[in-house]
Structures are given as structure tokens and as C-alpha cells.
Amino acid sequence: MSSATLTKTPDRAKVTAWLQNYGVYLAVVVLLLFNIVFTENFLSAANFRTQLVQAAPVCIVALGMALVIGTEGIDLSVGSVMSIAAALIPLYLGAGPLMAIVVAVIAGVVSGLFSGYLVAYLGIQPIIATLALLVGGRGLALVIAHGQLVQLHNQDFLELGTGDFLGVPIMVIVAGVLAVLAGLVVQRTTFGRHLVAVGGNRAASTLAGLPVKRVLISVYVISGALAAVAGVLATSRLAASDPSDVGLLMELSAITAVVVGGTPLTGGRVRVLGTVFGALLMQLVQATLIKHNLPDSTAQMVQAAIIVVAVYVARERSSR
């Protein structure tokens, strides 16, 4: 091996490590600067509010997805769980917004229990276990809603998606609080340490006596509950229950946000702040393309390209 190769390899490793750790922050800054310079009316309070509100559901779902991916799993059912939550809202809204929200979140918890049980106790691969709910969940939501879009008029419920508290949208506050809680869980709790250990080496964690199955079920339950919360907020913002549309392709957006945020698909690490910025990046990419008159399908292709780049960077780092 030549001396030139020996000096180049460490430099390349440093670059890939830096990109995985900080690339998402750099990308958000670059996109913000690009839009400030080239996008008309981007630099306004109303526009920033819109971007944050639209990023909030993705951020909430991505937080749960990050915990699942931290255990070397994946949850493809989050979009369908959102649609189930949306379908249940009109059925229980007559008993009050709180009852409707509780029922929706319980549905998310039950969905997470289903996926977690398949993964932890039956040993089914996460992608297969959650694929079942991805396919069947939206169908169940359409059955619950009889395939109908239902307009909602309960002002207390609609306040969740459209209201402010001290000038900050409630949806953004909810996403921020959940992000802080997720960060504390990962960094400051025994459960967080077990989660990272299970994702890093499941066999060693089992031998060490860690509650591997309980950790696996818990992360899917959390993911399902957060997806239901996102479904509630999305339904409130739309002022309508639309199970056929709420949460559509959310799994793609959430996985992208997690991966570009620096959480490796191989597990063993969870980057909560990176996930939040990953959700902001996905929203900014979509908003930038739309504001420059590019179709939504282009945004999806760009998302796919971002995933490929992020996974490549993570692979380069892990192979060293």
C-alpha cells in the first residue's frame, strides 16, 4: 500500500464520519440560505410557521422510528397507524376531544404491541412484521370510516392543529416536547441504555441478562403511540378525517429523517436532534421543489436519492 493511500484513507474516514454526524445540519443551513436568496417571500414569519407546522407530524413519527431503528429494527406501519387514528377520531369526538385522542393513541399502542410481539416473541423480521400492518392497517381504517371522508367541526379539537400558545403553533410545541422527552429517554434512562445495547449487539445483550424482548416491544409501542399522535394532529389540521390520505408514505419520510439525521440502520445508536433536523430537511426539500414549480413526484425521487446518499455514508463509516 502506497504512502499516498495511507494518508488518504484516514482523511476519507474523517469526512464520512463528519458527514454522518453533522451533514444534516449543514444541509438544512444550505437549503435555508438557498431559499432566502432564490425563493420569493421565503423569509417571512408566516412561511417559517408553515414549514414548522408541516414538519411537526414527520418529526413526531420519526422520533418513534429512531428508537425502533436504534434496536436494528424498522417500522413500516406508521402511516397506516396514522390513518387508523384518523378514522377513529369522528367516532369518539362526540364524547369530547380528550376521549377521541385517548382512543386514537390506544389504537396506536395496540398496533405497536402487535408489531412488537411479532418481532420480539415470534422472531419475525421487523420489515415483514410491520409490512403486515402497513398493508392491513389502512384497509382497517377505511373499513372503520366506511371509506368516507368526514368533516370535523369541534373547535376544541381543531385548535390542536391550527391554534397557538404564546405565538407558537401547538403542533410545533407538541413535537418539541416529544423530542425533548425522547432525548432524555435515550440519554438519561436505563431503558435508553438498554435500547442502544440491544441495537448494538442483541446476542451479547441477551447473555448479559438485559430485558431484550421487553425493550423490543416497548420501542414498537412508543412508535405506534407517536404515529397515532401524529395522526391526531394531522386530522385536526385538515379539519377532516381522511383515512385514505392521512399518513400516506409517512414511513418513507420518517425513515429518511432518521437516516439522514445520523442514526444508522444497523442500530446501536439513536440521534434525536439529528432526527429532528432530518424532518426539517425533508420538509425544506419538499417546500423548495414545490415553490420552484417542480412536481411532488420529484420530491419523492429526491427523498430516495437522499436515503441512498445517507446509507452510503453510514456504510462507509461502519466498514472502517
Side-chain angles (χ1 to χ4, degrees), residues 84-108 154 156-157 160 228-229 232:
I84 292 172
L88 290 170
I89 292 295
L91 300 181
Y92 296 91
L93 201 53
L98 182 60
M99 175 61 76
I101 293 169
V102 168
V103 171
V105 173
I106 288 175
N154 186 304
D156 291 336
F157 178 75
L160 283 174
V229 170
V232 169

Side-chain angles (χ1 to χ4, degrees), residues 62-75 195 199-200 219-220 254-259 263-270:
L63 290 171
M65 185 71 77
L67 300 185
V68 173
I69 290 178
T71 63
E72 205 180 2
I74 200 159
D75 189 353
L195 186 160
V219 293
Y220 286 94
I255 293 169
T256 308
V258 174
V259 173
T263 298
L265 287 170
T266 50
R269 187 168 59 158
V270 179

Side-chain angles (χ1 to χ4, degrees), residues 9 16 25 29 38 40 62 118 125 132 163 167 200 225 231 274 292 294:
T9 301
T16 54
Y25 310 120
V29 171
F38 296 106
E40 190 176 358
L118 293 181
Q125 288 294 319
H292 289 271
L294 292 170

